[in-house]
Amino acid sequence: MWRELNENGSWKGEIYNRRKNGEVYPGILSIAVIKDDENSVCNYMAHFFDISEIKEAQSQVEYQAHHDFLTKLPNRILLQEHLKQAFRVSKRANLHSVFMYIDLDRFKQINDNYGHDAGDRVLVEIAQRMRDLLREGDMVARIGGDEFAVIAPDLDVDESSAANKALFLAEKILTAVTEPVRFESYSFEVTASIGIKLFPNHVKDELDVIEHADIAMYQAKKMGRNQITFYNHDLDIASRQFATLENELVEAIKKDEFMLYYQPTVCANTERIIGAEALLRWKHPTKGVLAPSEFIGVLEKTSLMHEVCPYVLRSACMQIEAWLRAKRIDRNFRLAINISAHCFRHKDFVKRVESILDEFSFNHAMLEFELVESVLIEDMDDTVEKIKALQKRNISFLIDDFGTGYTSMRYLQQLPVDGVKIDRAILSNVNNKVNQEIIKITIDLANTFNLEVIAEGVESSTALKYLRDLNCHFYQGYSFSRPVKHESFISLFQENNKTHKRSKKSKESKRKKKNYTSSR
Ligand code: C2E
Ligand code: MG
Ligand code: MG
């Protein structure tokens, strides 16, 4: 600005200014140099024009040009820009990403038979569900009437692992889409066909990616809808990967390569550890310690899960017994384990659990079983019967990943559970108004039904403060501790216990002192 003023005698440009109340706003500033008779600068004349309204209108137009009016999702134009960028970044960083085409099956029938309001409701609801599922940095767009697309960049450095993760994500999307959508007195069950294309390998540019995903999606339609299909080449990779993983997992079971990590469950008010959740890990011979997202899909799709479930329960029980014996924990400690759909649905589930419990003598009230809501509501009679049978053995039941299902609130009253765990996706963004509402409603409902509430995935002090303000009972999250090996967990637990005993003592002695002084 100064250089132009000195050289040309004037300057014009866009600047940001600050109002007295602190608000920052854009404007156009023109400055002219005024010189006296001797040609030396005597004044500057400035003219300032507030353009905040113009800017606002511009960004509105920009937003409308790039978003779908009904669902507020990005549209095809924005999607393509994003994909182009993701393609470039993936190539440069040597990472594998995924693009998916999602086409709702027979959506036209809803529109034709129930009217456009019903159709709109379905689209809005499904758009919201998909948005909730994705990570930050992923994108879901609406690219046509009943067509959506998802970009999930940077899935993995390894192409076959990326294929596996893509499949896992596509399955989650399909489950979310197929949950019934309610509209007035109707309930619509929509299915979808999903075409998957990995990139950046074996394609020239983002247009190829779109074309291949489209071909895969049509393949899924041809195979009878409600299907997930990879583009040919990726399909080879995915099925090869599946077979390899399956073989490796069979070996892993034989060689005892699984172990449990423990993540503390903490009282939100006092920060005292009251228990833990046991989380499965696989000590892979070459890839290091793997989290469940890398392999649980394969366990669940094969009968292998039936061998892993008893392993988890037995290991958790053995750990409790060992800690009790070493006087590291007392009977108030609670250990939660995750129960898979496959195992829970098995007709002998209760019998199998009981026979393991009988190997141990500690009070089973120390155990909690976590199940996701979709499993619980699948066959309500069976669910209620099994839960009640095991509650007789003092085991508590928690609904895991609560708040992301679409029926949560409706079924809460009917399920004889003891608590709910608010899903980590909701906690990951507590600044979002919808998420805030979900947390609030969940805590209110839980209090009404006398249930315990545990918030998962608390990563920030903002999230924790928010939970405290709402009187949420317990939480888990990286802000306190990641899941860790049993040795690290128990030292953390004891350290935490000592601090609490110390602070309890010091509070008591303060109280005594106070009484003493006041009685004098
Ligand atoms: P989950 O039961 O909802 O477990 C919580 C997951 O959130 C864990 O992932 C945990 O590491 C992660 N987490 C905890 N705090 C934070 C946080 O602050 N931020 C973020 N971003 N994540 C956090 P993990 O261990 O990878 O397990 C993933 C899922 O795999 C579990 O979700 C559960 O559904 C399943 N799973 C884990 N262990 C078992 C098991 O033994 N049996 C069965 N059937 N499923 C298991
Ligand atoms: Mg869990
Ligand atoms: Mg969870």
Side-chain angles (χ1 to χ4, degrees):
M1 183 182 88
W2 280 114
R3 196 177 54 233
E4 274 201 34
L5 279 177
N6 292 336
E7 287 172 8
N8 308 329
S10 68
W11 180 85
K12 184 172 178 178
E14 248 180 65
I15 63 154
Y16 283 90
N17 213 342
R18 193 189 295 279
R19 294 189 212 282
K20 283 220 179 70
N21 66 7
E23 185 193 344
V24 175
Y25 67 107
I28 290 181
L29 178 67
S30 325
I31 306 176
V33 176
I34 300 182
K35 292 185 175 163
D36 59 16
D37 297 345
E38 267 104 60
N39 207 23
S40 49
V41 178
C42 60
N43 272 310
Y44 293 94
M45 190 169 75
H47 175 249
F48 186 76
F49 183 63
D50 180 345
I51 55 164
S52 42
E53 277 176 20
I54 298 173
K55 281 267 172 193
E56 175 66 33
Q58 259 174 2
S59 69
Q60 278 279 344
V61 171
E62 182 112 334
Y63 180 87
Q64 279 165 12
H66 287 107
H67 288 82
D68 164 45
F69 182 72
L70 178 69
T71 58
K72 309 281 184 289
L73 290 182
N75 62 12
R76 187 185 281 274
I77 301 171
L78 190 53
L79 175 90
Q80 272 193 14
E81 280 173 18
H82 209 83
L83 183 60
K84 194 171 181 176
Q85 206 182 341
F87 188 85
R88 225 181 298 132
V89 175
S90 302
K91 203 152 191 151
R92 199 180 324 128
N94 239 339
L95 282 166
H96 296 279
S97 306
V98 70
F99 179 78
M100 292 181 206
Y101 240 119
I102 302 153
D103 191 285
L104 305 186
D105 301 326
R106 303 202 177 86
F107 174 74
K108 197 172 165 299
Q109 289 178 2
I110 298 180
N111 259 340
D112 292 350
N113 299 335
Y114 299 90
H116 285 270
D117 283 353
D120 285 357
R121 173 85 200 99
V122 170
L123 291 173
V124 170
E125 173 76 32
I126 285 175
Q128 182 61 43
R129 291 177 187 178
M130 288 201 270
R131 200 169 11 206
D132 290 346
L133 268 180
L134 298 178
R135 307 168 302 176
E136 217 169 291
D138 294 351
M139 174 184 269
V140 53
R142 181 177 176 214
I143 52 175
D146 58 354
E147 283 174 59
F148 297 86
V150 165
I151 307 172
D154 313 345
L155 284 181
D156 212 296
V157 277
D158 178 53
E159 192 173 22
S160 31
S161 302
N164 194 34
K165 287 183 183 166
L167 182 61
F168 189 65
L169 177 62
E171 277 168 352
K172 282 213 292 200
I173 293 177
L174 204 56
T175 314
V177 169
T178 45
E179 288 270 345
V181 177
R182 264 163 251 285
F183 174 72
E184 292 175 351
S185 57
Y186 306 110
S187 169
F188 299 111
E189 279 175 36
V190 184
T191 59
S193 303
I194 303 183
I196 302 183
K197 174 67 198 164
L198 293 178
F199 62 91
N201 277 9
H202 322 291
V203 267
K204 194 167 76 267
D205 55 21
E206 76 279 2
L207 298 176
D208 267 5
V209 175
I210 296 179
E211 192 186 315
H212 291 182
D214 201 30
I215 294 173
M217 194 269 291
Y218 275 101
Q219 197 65 30
K221 289 254 182 226
K222 262 203 279 180
M223 283 165 57
R225 297 160 205 268
N226 199 18
Q227 304 274 341
I228 298 167
T229 308
F230 279 90
Y231 183 70
N232 290 348
H233 178 83
D234 302 348
L235 180 63
D236 286 351
I237 296 173
S239 55
R240 245 185 291 137
Q241 159 76 358
F242 192 95
T244 320
L245 250 185
E246 191 181 351
N247 290 337
E248 284 181 340
L249 283 165
V250 171
E251 283 301 300
I253 292 171
K254 271 195 226 145
K255 293 191 184 141
D256 204 8
E257 287 172 358
F258 290 106
M259 58 181 176
L260 294 180
Y261 271 31
Y262 297 86
Q263 185 179 37
T265 313
V266 187
C267 173
N269 254 332
T270 60
E271 300 255 285
R272 188 188 189 123
I273 302 177
I274 54 129
E277 175 175 5
L279 293 156
L280 188 62
R281 293 292 180 266
W282 174 14
K283 221 164 43 192
H284 189 281
T286 55
K287 294 186 195 153
V289 177
L290 302 183
S293 59
E294 308 265 348
F295 58 87
I296 214 145
V298 179
L299 285 182
E300 271 169 5
K301 263 195 238 77
T302 55
S303 54
L304 294 175
M305 199 66 197
H306 287 296
E307 302 194 39
V308 177
C309 269
Y311 162 83
V312 171
L313 177 59
R314 191 170 281 116
S315 310
C317 289
M318 276 159 63
Q319 189 61 74
I320 292 182
E321 203 156 73
W323 281 335
L324 280 173
R325 212 178 314 118
K327 298 209 163 38
R328 299 292 193 95
I329 56 172
D330 63 20
R331 285 171 33 201
N332 296 318
F333 188 90
R334 293 151 16 165
L335 187 62
I337 66 169
N338 294 282
I339 307 288
S340 89
H342 265 65
C343 304
F344 186 71
R345 280 287 157 243
H346 194 277
K347 67 174 180 14
D348 292 335
F349 173 70
V350 173
K351 237 192 269 164
R352 287 178 178 181
V353 169
E354 285 179 327
S355 86
I356 295 178
L357 293 182
D358 290 341
E359 297 168 22
F360 300 90
S361 55
F362 63 84
N363 185 347
H364 305 137
M366 296 177 75
L367 280 173
E368 291 175 322
F369 284 5
E370 296 185 7
L371 280 141
V372 293
E373 176 198 4
S374 53
V375 176
L376 290 170
I377 62 174
E378 205 174 61
D379 177 350
M380 280 293 246
D381 294 341
D382 181 58
T383 300
V384 172
E385 197 184 302
K386 284 175 175 162
I387 292 185
K388 285 195 169 154
L390 287 173
Q391 278 171 335
K392 279 204 190 110
R393 304 283 304 245
N394 286 338
I395 291 180
S396 317
F397 280 80
L398 304 174
I399 309 182
D400 206 350
D401 304 347
F402 190 81
T404 48
Y406 316 102
T407 32
S408 317
M409 312 291 171
R410 220 164 80 91
Y411 284 100
L412 199 52
Q413 202 178 358
Q414 296 172 36
L415 288 167
V417 292
D418 306 277
V420 295
K421 299 187 77 170
I422 306 179
D423 191 77
R424 59 185 189 273
I426 295 171
L427 267 297
S428 69
N429 186 0
V430 279
N431 294 325
N432 175 309
K433 284 260 171 332
V434 177
N435 288 354
Q436 290 184 355
E437 268 318 294
I438 295 179
I439 299 174
K440 235 188 268 168
I441 295 173
T442 307
I443 294 174
D444 278 353
L445 269 178
N447 285 336
T448 313
F449 296 126
N450 215 1
L451 302 176
E452 204 164 75
V453 193
I454 301 156
E456 295 186 318
V458 177
E459 287 184 0
S460 64
S461 49
T462 331
L464 183 57
K465 181 173 178 315
Y466 191 73
L467 293 171
R468 279 194 184 133
D469 288 347
L470 290 174
N471 282 327
C472 177
H473 314 153
F474 306 109
Y475 77 95
Q476 279 173 254
Y478 293 172
S479 73
F480 190 88
S481 163
R482 285 180 177 257
V484 290
K485 285 187 186 161
H486 70 92
E487 308 94 323
S488 316
F489 173 79
I490 207 66
S491 352
L492 182 66
F493 178 70
Q494 288 191 308
E495 204 39 54
N496 176 275
N497 235 340
K498 262 193 240 151
T499 320
H500 279 277
K501 276 196 187 127
R502 258 205 308 272
S503 74
K504 199 170 158 200
K505 255 194 200 151
S506 83
K507 261 187 211 152
E508 270 167 12
S509 73
K510 261 188 206 152
R511 205 177 315 131
K512 271 187 201 148
K513 233 188 238 163
K514 207 167 141 203
N515 288 346
Y516 176 69
T517 355
S518 56
S519 66
R520 293 229 311 177

